[in-house]
Amino acid sequence: MKKSRAHFPRIKTIAYEGPQSTNPLAFRHYNPDEVIDGKTMAAHLRFSIAYWHSFRGTGGDPFGPGTIQRPWEKGPDPVSIAKTRMDAAFEFFQKIRAPFWAFHDRDIAPEGRTLAESNRHLDALVDHARGLQRATGVKLLWGTANLFSHPRYMCGAATNPDAHVFAYAAAQVKKALESTQRLGGEGYVFWGGREGYETLLNTNLKREQEHLAAFLHMAVDHAKAIGFKGQFLIEPKPMEPTKHQYDFDVASGIAFLRTHGLEKHFKFNVETNHATLAGHTFQHEIEVAIAHGMLGSIDANSGDPLLGWDTDQFSTDVRELTLAMIPILRAGGIGRGGFNFDAKLRRPSTDLEDLFLAHIGGMDAYALAFKVARHALADGKFDAFLDQRYASYDTGFGRDIEKRRVGFKELNQLVLRKLGEPKLRSGKQEYLENLLLSYLHR
Ligand code: XLS
Ligand code: NI
Ligand code: NI
């Protein structure tokens, strides 16, 4: 490990210095070792670093090439460069004190000329990652396959009109799944980047959705065959790169999984920026997943309200994160999932230090939201308000409604003979927003 220490020579392991600190390279809220309710903050929050953004992101956009140059991006051949890059990545994971990381197959290992060659490259880098995981204690949150960058996937992978492409994608996911298993991944993500369409004029929507279901069933079968115990996760996104993506949001994902008998095998990886692209709040997507017992993990980032695409920014919006954290804590925490920073530096953020600053801000914002949400829930006012708002369903005819013991006929009689006109009861939104504000600033 000595040699790999050299990649960030001027940056020491980030320390927790408390809210009063003015050191930009210190945590002010995230104290990984602090024990809360018998668990460290690191164990509660399970932060994860996204390899694709932090170690493959170049700052390139549709209007210009990359701006970000990293000193470790050199070596005699692509596989050696990939290994050096991974050394740098694990040094970063340790210094930023993230217990987990996440990757796509092609982020960590270069695509070869054939599938067999790509698999050999992947094996070499998975071996390398195993060594680094063992040496550093950093674990894998989840793995996934990149089924959207290569030209062969231009019309989708599992939903491609050409069965040959479907077969290729199946082979690639088989390998990615086995690689995730070798690295002890807590989960495996399916993000359907191009599983959708550009125009319905060339698309048989029904067949494509059935093909996607067949693909996911094959994944379930293969996981069983190899004894992979990680959680399968669907990551919904409504659009981009396609005009319409089939896993549009959590609700449509649940309908899809139930329709095809897959609901027992999957949970959701909810991404902030995907929620807002679908016209929802982050909190909404989390609530829907929790309502069905299907919240699996979080891709932590933020969009820009003025830009209509997945800008994948680091979020420092503590109010939005607190609104997300409240239902997560009510549900008992993030479980085997984590908060994975699927977020990238802005194109002009070219300093090595910027990578640290970005994650420090994201981690501090989540840590603060975690503390505020814990405090708010412990105070009990939000829960008390909700309990009281629905109290009429706890007894009498309200309870009969919930138990489905009454129908229209009985309720009609009841209103005509006894209840009459309901009284208006305030929804108290302003009171609740002020309450939230009082927890955010005290
Ligand atoms: C893209 C997605 C992607 C997934 C992993 O918008 O967020 O990065 O998280 O394939
Ligand atoms: Ni994501
Ligand atoms: Ni995304």
Side-chain angles (χ1 to χ4, degrees), residues 59-122:
D61 71 13
F63 300 93
T67 53
I68 295 171
Q69 285 158 10
R70 297 305 188 207
W72 52 78
E73 292 290 325
K74 46 183 189 281
D77 59 85
V79 173
S80 332
I81 298 172
K83 286 184 184 163
T84 310
R85 179 189 298 132
M86 190 177 271
D87 294 338
F90 274 79
E91 183 184 340
F92 175 72
F93 303 159
Q94 274 201 302
K95 286 188 167 171
I96 199 70
R97 302 173 77 184
F100 292 97
W101 67 300
F103 71 94
H104 300 80
D105 49 2
R106 301 298 178 251
D107 304 335
I108 59 170
E111 176 122 18
R113 277 157 306 182
T114 62
L115 181 64
E117 191 181 56
S118 297
N119 288 346
R120 277 197 298 281
H121 290 172
L122 188 53

Side-chain angles (χ1 to χ4, degrees), residues 142-312:
W142 49 260
T144 188
N146 180 327
L147 303 177
F148 44 89
S149 294
H150 193 281
R152 80 175 74 86
Y153 296 125
M154 67 180 184
C155 299
T159 63
N160 198 290
D162 182 352
H164 186 158
V165 180
F166 182 109
Y168 201 105
Q172 195 181 324
V173 169
K174 175 180 181 291
K175 185 72 185 174
L177 203 53
E178 290 161 6
S179 302
T180 300
Q181 184 183 33
R182 283 189 57 214
L183 291 171
E186 298 273 355
Y188 184 91
V189 162
F190 295 84
W191 170 61
R194 295 191 194 270
E195 310 295 24
Y197 59 78
E198 302 296 341
T199 171
L200 286 169
L201 289 171
N202 68 11
T203 303
N204 186 328
L205 182 143
K206 184 167 193 287
R207 279 183 95 171
E208 289 200 359
Q209 293 195 349
E210 278 162 3
H211 297 162
L212 181 57
F215 194 89
L216 296 179
H217 273 291
M218 289 178 200
V220 168
D221 292 345
H222 192 65
K224 208 168 159 198
I226 64 174
F228 177 69
K229 296 277 186 296
Q231 175 65 53
F232 273 179
L233 299 156
I234 299 279
E235 183 179 320
K237 184 176 182 181
M239 64 194 79
E240 196 213 17
T242 57
K243 172 197 177 79
H244 178 97
Q245 211 165 286
Y246 295 132
D247 300 324
F248 193 91
D249 59 4
V250 174
S252 59
I254 291 171
F256 175 84
L257 293 171
R258 292 229 170 110
T259 302
H260 297 283
L262 287 157
E263 71 275 14
K264 277 203 282 302
H265 307 286
F266 289 81
K267 288 186 174 175
F268 289 91
N269 184 35
V270 172
E271 178 164 324
T272 328
N273 205 163
H274 297 182
T276 50
L277 276 177
H280 303 308
T281 60
F282 185 29
Q283 182 191 10
H284 168 93
E285 287 293 79
I286 289 169
E287 292 271 10
V288 175
I290 287 174
H292 295 267
M294 292 173 94
L295 181 69
S297 201
I298 297 289
D299 264 9
N301 61 18
S302 162
D304 184 310
L306 300 183
L307 298 173
W309 64 90
D310 199 9
T311 58
D312 286 340

